[in-house]
Amino acid sequence: MDNIVIRYTEKPKLKDPIFIEGLPGIGNVGKLAAEHLIDELGAKKFAEIVSKYFPPQVMVLDGGLVKLVNNELYYVRNVGKGTDMIFLVGDYQGMNPEGQYELTDFILGVLKDFDVKRIFTLGGYGVGRIVEKPKVYGAATDEEMVKEMEKFGVVFSRGEPGTGIVGASGLLLGLGALYDMHSVCFMGETSGYFVDPKSARAVLEVLTRALGIEVDFSELEAKAKQIDAITARLRESEVKPEEPRKDLGYIG
Amino acid sequence: MDNIVIRYTEKPKLKDPIFIEGLPGIGNVGKLAAEHLIDELGAKKFAEIVSKYFPPQVMVLDGGLVKLVNNELYYVRNVGKGTDMIFLVGDYQGMNPEGQYELTDFILGVLKDFDVKRIFTLGGYGVGRIVEKPKVYGAATDEEMVKEMEKFGVVFSRGEPGTGIVGASGLLLGLGALYDMHSVCFMGETSGYFVDPKSARAVLEVLTRALGIEVDFSELEAKAKQIDAITARLRESEVKPEEPRKDLGYIG
Amino acid sequence: MDNIVIRYTEKPKLKDPIFIEGLPGIGNVGKLAAEHLIDELGAKKFAEIVSKYFPPQVMVLDGGLVKLVNNELYYVRNVGKGTDMIFLVGDYQGMNPEGQYELTDFILGVLKDFDVKRIFTLGGYGVGRIVEKPKVYGAATDEEMVKEMEKFGVVFSRGEPGTGIVGASGLLLGLGALYDMHSVCFMGETSGYFVDPKSARAVLEVLTRALGIEVDFSELEAKAKQIDAITARLRESEVKPEEPRKDLGYIG
Amino acid sequence: MDNIVIRYTEKPKLKDPIFIEGLPGIGNVGKLAAEHLIDELGAKKFAEIVSKYFPPQVMVLDGGLVKLVNNELYYVRNVGKGTDMIFLVGDYQGMNPEGQYELTDFILGVLKDFDVKRIFTLGGYGVGRIVEKPKVYGAATDEEMVKEMEKFGVVFSRGEPGTGIVGASGLLLGLGALYDMHSVCFMGETSGYFVDPKSARAVLEVLTRALGIEVDFSELEAKAKQIDAITARLRESEVKPEEPRKDLGYIG
């Protein structure tokens, strides 16, 4: 089989779409944020990507049906001031460096076909402590993007994250430059101990400002309250939360 | 050499054969079940598969002869109400994700040539405790399959197994859907501490009902008694059995 | 670069040569035995094999010169009753399963060109305790080979080694069968704690009987005495030797 | 995408250039030395190499801009007695053996095009203790090189390093021999605990003598004083520095 297989259920015509990536990573910040946006904007799935760079695994869904682990592309038209959008979400990122490079390059090829020129990648930045008001750090491919995004409250700082950005959120910027894409990565501060809807909301607040759109956050707020309840209970019982895996701490 | 090499000792003509997979996995439930069925039905080996995705290893057989580790295909004709069957058993599953995908895709290509439309994969579901009466959980590619198999006592439940199904038993369903195969995976509850003939029997009881055939279980019962004797001794001496490897706990 | 590169310094004409493999492995038994035979018979190097399946490493030789890690082929003509021989020795075996399969298949292709029909692979069998009189276990591709080799004192036994034979010594037999080669593997009992010249001698005693030749063992005896001195000192100081690496214990 | 991608910003015409490699490794000795030389000689970047053998990672630079991790080639003309030079520096070496072989072979192909005949690779030799006056050990492809370099104070000794040279500094010599390149590796003694500008200076003192050039070392001295201050503080507080990673101890 091919290393990467894409199956289109639809080939939508889109006008200068922007691209938003939210794959699993630290605190699942990017995944939560992108999936929330897909739900709120009513974006529609149009393609599935399976690959031998993902684990050899099926998920078991409601009703006992299986789904091969995959990545999925969604689109929505005419949002806010008339923007078309493509989203990438999924169960996994590529499991090894080769897979990361191949999958990212594959996605960029797909985006080129849709004439994408602007990329937003969403992720978390693990800081190893509970964060009350998560900041959103940024990194970009060019200075105009930096200047533009600073206006929306994104923090650009050489030392953050010190280890660079590992995984799809970083690679889409790095390889995207070879495709002449203007890209920015938003990283919400997060402890790294838990799935973090609060950080996802912080990222979305910046992103929606940048896109000139408004979305409802009640769904994310409900999830955040659940997590807060769990962390409060953990603190009371003085059970120290598990150490975050170090090798995940810097995955965007 | 090719990544995967198949050698046919025979190319049997089969009429709409169903396919049954039982490779090694948690508790070796699938392997025990499929091998028992091969023995009881007198199925005949017709092909061997060797691959660089298997370990670089030979087994030493009776009389000092070696056998390169492999997977093997068996067939039997006209069982029960006239069903032809193909079986897959073997020493190992693919050793890495790429190998899992490539081997599964290769097998599906072979099955397509034999016009297989219906797949049963057999495995174990590790629950971390001794199970007196193992249930058989299921997962399937389509709702008709779910409904049909529920009648034979298979339990379909979103949360089980929570981590999905890893390995050939899951991938044959996930990739099989791309080949338009209707598939179901049977997973017998098992501790994960031991090879588990009792769980294999539970799986076979469901499978034989689904296939409308009857087989003798005395061979599996004898093996189960041996294991029971060992676990009883362990409990008496209060030696705690070794922890099951976590990364194997969810391999089907 | 190609995955495997062979460079011939000579292409000797050989008459029905037999092939003897002695790559590094448990106790370095096979390597010691094959290198001793090369020295004693005055065999001549005729080819070097480098590969990306070996570590990215150079050895530093006398005088500060480097040597890229490799495998080497030697030949000798007209030994004993007129036998031509090819030897394979080297710094490493392939570092992963794919490398093991590819390298072994590559070697078998070379041997086919030289019209080799008979293979002897030499290795150690780690038993986890000091062995005073090492037995030599065998495994073979066919029954005639088993019968013939039993006459020279080789022990053929289903249970030994229980885990099969991992690495080149096993794979040359397993894949060699696809090339119609008649092969036998000799495994000298060894503790697994030390490089073991005594076990290498045991293997060579059997091999030389099988080949109908005689060689001097004083070189190996000297090495064995050095090791004996070290182990004696270790026993006196009650320092327990390090555990052998389990994953090496069954490499032939 | 290709496994390795090179992008030239310029294709300089060079006359019999020598090549100097300084990729990351033990104590970052080679990297520090080569980067210092690039700065002092005003060498100019002319090509970037990205590869799926590097980590899937971007670095975050000043001003929030990203840079995909890469290797870079620099050149300088007419140094000392009129020598042209090419330098290789970068963020990472290849992450696995295949990557090491492929990247080194790729670089050698590029060098062949520039008609390079002489290679200097720079690295560290980890000895596990603080070294006051680091010696510079050498290894070379031919005896003339050994003799020539001994005159400049390089120590050639079979036993050093005992494990050989792992990584690009060794492989450029080993594979370079297949390209008829005359090469030498300089390894500065270093503890392995810290980035070591003092060892980098020792390497450069030998290299500049060999090249017949002079460079200012004040930049490296300043860095060395910073490290000395840190190690002094560590010794006072009796905090034992972390063990060097064993698998890095012998990377050149």
Side-chain angles (χ1 to χ4, degrees):
Chain A
M1 63 178 288
D2 290 335
N3 293 332
I4 302 168
V5 176
I6 189 165
R7 295 204 305 170
Y8 290 95
T9 49
E10 185 185 349
K11 276 240 184 180
K13 295 220 170 186
L14 301 170
K15 205 181 64 206
D16 288 336
I18 62 159
F19 173 68
I20 295 167
E21 171 269 340
L23 291 173
I26 182 74
N28 266 355
V29 173
K31 181 177 162 79
L32 284 172
E35 287 179 350
H36 184 77
L37 214 50
I38 286 171
D39 287 349
E40 294 296 323
L41 299 177
K44 196 182 162 198
K45 181 161 76 175
F46 70 96
E48 294 179 6
I49 296 163
V50 300
S51 170
K52 67 173 74 156
Y53 298 123
F54 297 143
Q57 184 181 0
V58 294
M59 315 299 266
V60 182
L61 308 177
D62 276 330
L65 296 186
V66 299
K67 192 202 84 169
L68 185 56
V69 297
N70 70 3
N71 282 2
E72 300 182 339
L73 291 168
Y74 287 76
Y75 75 94
V76 63
R77 283 205 193 89
N78 201 14
V79 180
K81 296 157 199 158
T83 314
D84 289 359
M85 298 179 183
I86 293 173
F87 295 89
L88 175 69
V89 290
D91 302 304
Y92 285 96
Q93 296 199 19
M95 297 295 279
N96 57 24
E98 181 188 346
Q100 288 273 3
Y101 275 94
E102 286 293 351
L103 283 161
T104 298
D105 192 66
F106 184 91
I107 296 290
L108 286 165
V110 170
L111 300 183
K112 200 77 192 168
D113 285 348
F114 280 100
D115 216 22
V116 167
K117 295 189 192 70
R118 215 171 157 81
I119 288 177
F120 295 84
T121 69
L122 314 181
Y125 173 26
V127 293
R129 57 185 165 74
I130 304 294
V131 182
E132 284 308 317
K133 295 205 163 181
K135 276 183 278 193
V136 175
Y137 287 96
T141 48
D142 48 279
E143 284 178 30
E144 302 82 64
M145 191 60 111
V146 172
K147 272 178 203 154
E148 186 184 339
M149 293 303 146
E150 276 178 335
K151 285 185 287 185
F152 303 113
V154 181
V155 181
F156 290 88
S157 151
R158 184 191 176 121
E160 312 281 356
T163 50
I165 309 167
V166 175
S169 288
L171 216 46
L172 279 161
L173 272 64
L175 286 178
L178 310 184
Y179 285 81
D180 294 318
M181 306 243 178
H182 301 279
S183 314
V184 65
C185 174
F186 294 161
M187 291 159 281
E189 273 189 314
T190 181
S191 68
Y193 300 144
F194 303 103
V195 168
D196 193 345
K198 201 188 281 178
S199 181
R201 179 180 174 158
V203 165
L204 277 184
E205 281 172 350
V206 165
L207 178 62
T208 51
R209 276 201 295 273
L211 299 175
I213 62 174
E214 279 183 28
V215 299
D216 182 79
F217 289 118
S218 45
E219 202 61 46
L220 275 180
E221 260 163 46
K223 284 184 193 166
K225 271 181 195 150
Q226 285 173 25
I227 301 288
D228 278 350
I230 293 166
T231 58
R233 235 178 302 143
L234 281 170
R235 253 178 263 159
E236 277 164 26
S237 60
E238 292 181 273
V239 175
K240 214 189 139 186
E242 214 177 78
E243 281 284 293
R245 276 178 55 192
K246 277 209 181 123
D247 54 340
L248 284 174
Y250 49 89
I251 288 186
Chain B
M1 63 177 286
D2 290 334
N3 293 333
I4 302 167
V5 176
I6 189 165
R7 296 202 305 168
Y8 289 95
T9 47
E10 185 186 349
K11 277 240 185 181
K13 294 220 169 185
L14 301 170
K15 203 181 65 206
D16 289 335
I18 62 158
F19 173 67
I20 296 168
E21 172 268 340
L23 291 173
I26 183 74
N28 266 354
V29 172
K31 182 177 161 80
L32 284 171
E35 287 179 351
H36 184 77
L37 214 49
I38 286 171
D39 287 349
E40 293 296 323
L41 300 177
K44 194 181 163 200
K45 181 160 75 173
F46 69 96
E48 295 179 5
I49 296 163
V50 299
S51 170
K52 67 173 74 154
Y53 299 123
F54 297 143
Q57 185 182 358
V58 292
M59 315 300 266
V60 181
L61 307 178
D62 276 330
L65 296 186
V66 298
K67 192 202 84 170
L68 185 56
V69 297
N70 70 1
N71 283 1
E72 299 181 340
L73 291 168
Y74 287 75
Y75 75 93
V76 64
R77 283 203 194 91
N78 202 14
V79 179
K81 296 157 199 158
T83 314
D84 289 359
M85 299 179 184
I86 294 174
F87 296 88
L88 175 68
V89 290
D91 302 304
Y92 285 97
Q93 296 201 17
M95 298 295 280
N96 58 23
E98 182 189 345
Q100 289 273 3
Y101 275 94
E102 287 293 352
L103 283 162
T104 299
D105 192 64
F106 185 91
I107 295 291
L108 286 165
V110 169
L111 300 183
K112 199 77 191 167
D113 285 348
F114 279 99
D115 216 23
V116 168
K117 295 189 191 72
R118 214 173 157 82
I119 289 176
F120 295 83
T121 70
L122 313 181
Y125 174 24
V127 294
R129 56 184 165 75
I130 304 295
V131 182
E132 284 307 318
K133 295 207 163 180
K135 275 183 279 193
V136 175
Y137 287 96
T141 49
D142 48 279
E143 284 178 30
E144 301 81 65
M145 191 61 110
V146 172
K147 272 179 202 153
E148 186 183 339
M149 293 303 147
E150 275 178 336
K151 284 185 287 185
F152 303 113
V154 181
V155 181
F156 290 88
S157 150
R158 186 194 175 119
E160 313 282 357
T163 50
I165 309 166
V166 175
S169 288
L171 217 46
L172 279 162
L173 271 64
L175 286 177
L178 311 183
Y179 284 81
D180 295 319
M181 306 244 179
H182 300 279
S183 314
V184 64
C185 173
F186 293 161
M187 291 159 280
E189 273 190 314
T190 181
S191 68
Y193 302 143
F194 303 103
V195 167
D196 193 345
K198 200 188 281 178
S199 181
R201 180 182 173 154
V203 165
L204 278 184
E205 281 172 351
V206 165
L207 178 63
T208 49
R209 277 201 293 273
L211 298 175
I213 61 175
E214 278 183 30
V215 298
D216 181 78
F217 290 118
S218 45
E219 202 60 46
L220 275 180
E221 260 164 46
K223 285 186 192 164
K225 271 180 195 151
Q226 285 172 25
I227 301 289
D228 278 350
I230 293 167
T231 58
R233 237 177 300 143
L234 281 170
R235 253 178 264 161
E236 277 165 26
S237 61
E238 292 181 276
V239 175
K240 213 188 141 187
E242 216 177 76
E243 281 284 293
R245 276 180 56 193
K246 274 200 183 133
D247 54 341
L248 285 174
Y250 49 88
I251 288 186
Chain C
M1 64 178 287
D2 289 335
N3 293 333
I4 302 167
V5 177
I6 189 165
R7 295 202 306 169
Y8 289 95
T9 48
E10 185 186 350
K11 277 239 184 181
K13 296 222 169 183
L14 301 170
K15 204 181 64 206
D16 288 336
I18 63 157
F19 173 67
I20 296 168
E21 172 269 341
L23 291 172
I26 183 73
N28 266 355
V29 172
K31 182 177 161 80
L32 283 171
E35 288 179 350
H36 184 77
L37 213 49
I38 286 171
D39 287 349
E40 293 296 324
L41 299 178
K44 195 180 163 202
K45 181 161 76 173
F46 70 96
E48 294 179 6
I49 296 163
V50 299
S51 169
K52 67 173 73 154
Y53 299 122
F54 297 143
Q57 185 181 359
V58 293
M59 315 301 265
V60 182
L61 308 178
D62 276 331
L65 296 186
V66 298
K67 192 203 86 171
L68 185 56
V69 297
N70 70 3
N71 283 2
E72 299 181 340
L73 291 168
Y74 287 75
Y75 75 94
V76 64
R77 282 204 194 90
N78 201 14
V79 179
K81 297 157 201 158
T83 314
D84 290 359
M85 299 180 183
I86 294 174
F87 296 90
L88 174 69
V89 289
D91 302 305
Y92 285 97
Q93 296 200 18
M95 298 295 279
N96 57 24
E98 182 188 345
Q100 288 273 5
Y101 275 94
E102 286 292 353
L103 283 162
T104 298
D105 192 63
F106 184 91
I107 296 291
L108 286 165
V110 170
L111 300 183
K112 200 78 191 165
D113 285 348
F114 279 100
D115 216 23
V116 167
K117 295 190 192 71
R118 213 172 159 80
I119 289 177
F120 295 84
T121 69
L122 314 181
Y125 174 26
V127 294
R129 57 186 164 74
I130 305 293
V131 182
E132 284 309 318
K133 296 206 164 181
K135 275 181 279 192
V136 175
Y137 288 96
T141 48
D142 47 280
E143 283 177 32
E144 300 82 64
M145 192 60 111
V146 171
K147 272 178 204 155
E148 186 183 339
M149 293 304 147
E150 276 178 335
K151 285 185 284 183
F152 303 112
V154 181
V155 181
F156 290 88
S157 150
R158 185 192 176 121
E160 313 282 357
T163 50
I165 309 168
V166 175
S169 287
L171 217 45
L172 279 161
L173 272 63
L175 287 177
L178 311 183
Y179 285 82
D180 294 318
M181 306 245 179
H182 300 280
S183 314
V184 64
C185 174
F186 293 161
M187 291 159 281
E189 272 190 314
T190 180
S191 68
Y193 301 143
F194 302 103
V195 168
D196 193 345
K198 201 187 281 178
S199 181
R201 181 182 173 154
V203 165
L204 277 183
E205 281 172 350
V206 164
L207 179 62
T208 50
R209 275 201 294 272
L211 299 175
I213 62 176
E214 278 183 30
V215 298
D216 182 79
F217 290 117
S218 47
E219 203 60 47
L220 275 180
E221 262 164 42
K223 284 184 193 167
K225 271 180 194 151
Q226 284 172 27
I227 301 289
D228 278 350
I230 293 167
T231 58
R233 236 176 301 141
L234 281 170
R235 252 178 264 161
E236 278 165 24
S237 61
E238 293 182 275
V239 175
K240 212 189 141 185
E242 216 176 75
E243 282 283 293
R245 276 179 57 192
K246 277 205 181 127
D247 54 338
L248 285 175
Y250 49 89
I251 289 186
Chain D
M1 64 177 288
D2 290 335
N3 294 333
I4 302 168
V5 177
I6 188 164
R7 295 202 306 168
Y8 290 95
T9 48
E10 186 185 347
K11 277 240 184 181
K13 295 222 169 183
L14 301 170
K15 205 181 64 208
D16 287 337
I18 63 157
F19 173 68
I20 296 169
E21 172 269 340
L23 291 172
I26 182 75
N28 266 354
V29 172
K31 180 177 161 80
L32 284 171
E35 288 179 351
H36 184 76
L37 213 50
I38 286 171
D39 287 349
E40 293 297 323
L41 300 178
K44 195 181 162 199
K45 181 161 76 175
F46 70 95
E48 295 179 6
I49 296 162
V50 300
S51 170
K52 67 173 72 156
Y53 299 123
F54 297 143
Q57 184 181 1
V58 294
M59 315 299 267
V60 182
L61 307 178
D62 276 329
L65 296 186
V66 298
K67 192 202 85 168
L68 185 56
V69 296
N70 70 3
N71 283 1
E72 299 181 341
L73 290 169
Y74 288 74
Y75 75 93
V76 64
R77 283 205 193 88
N78 201 15
V79 179
K81 296 157 200 159
T83 314
D84 291 358
M85 298 179 183
I86 294 174
F87 296 89
L88 175 69
V89 290
D91 302 305
Y92 285 96
Q93 296 200 18
M95 298 295 279
N96 57 25
E98 181 189 345
Q100 288 273 6
Y101 275 93
E102 286 293 352
L103 284 162
T104 298
D105 191 65
F106 185 91
I107 296 291
L108 285 165
V110 169
L111 300 183
K112 199 79 190 166
D113 284 348
F114 280 100
D115 216 21
V116 167
K117 295 190 191 71
R118 215 171 157 81
I119 289 177
F120 296 83
T121 69
L122 313 181
Y125 173 27
V127 294
R129 55 183 166 76
I130 305 293
V131 181
E132 284 309 317
K133 296 206 164 182
K135 276 183 278 194
V136 175
Y137 287 96
T141 48
D142 47 280
E143 283 177 32
E144 300 83 63
M145 192 59 111
V146 171
K147 272 178 203 154
E148 186 183 339
M149 293 303 146
E150 276 178 334
K151 285 185 285 184
F152 303 113
V154 181
V155 181
F156 290 88
S157 150
R158 184 192 176 122
E160 312 282 356
T163 50
I165 309 167
V166 175
S169 288
L171 217 46
L172 279 161
L173 272 64
L175 286 177
L178 311 184
Y179 285 82
D180 293 319
M181 306 244 179
H182 300 279
S183 315
V184 65
C185 174
F186 293 160
M187 291 159 281
E189 272 190 315
T190 181
S191 69
Y193 301 143
F194 303 103
V195 167
D196 194 344
K198 201 187 281 178
S199 180
R201 181 181 172 154
V203 165
L204 277 184
E205 281 172 350
V206 165
L207 179 62
T208 51
R209 275 201 294 274
L211 298 175
I213 61 175
E214 279 184 27
V215 299
D216 182 79
F217 290 118
S218 45
E219 202 62 47
L220 274 180
E221 262 163 43
K223 284 184 192 165
K225 272 181 195 150
Q226 285 172 26
I227 301 288
D228 279 349
I230 293 166
T231 58
R233 236 178 300 141
L234 280 170
R235 254 178 263 159
E236 278 164 26
S237 61
E238 293 181 274
V239 175
K240 212 189 141 186
E242 214 177 77
E243 282 284 293
R245 276 178 57 191
K246 278 207 182 126
D247 54 339
L248 285 174
Y250 49 90
I251 288 186

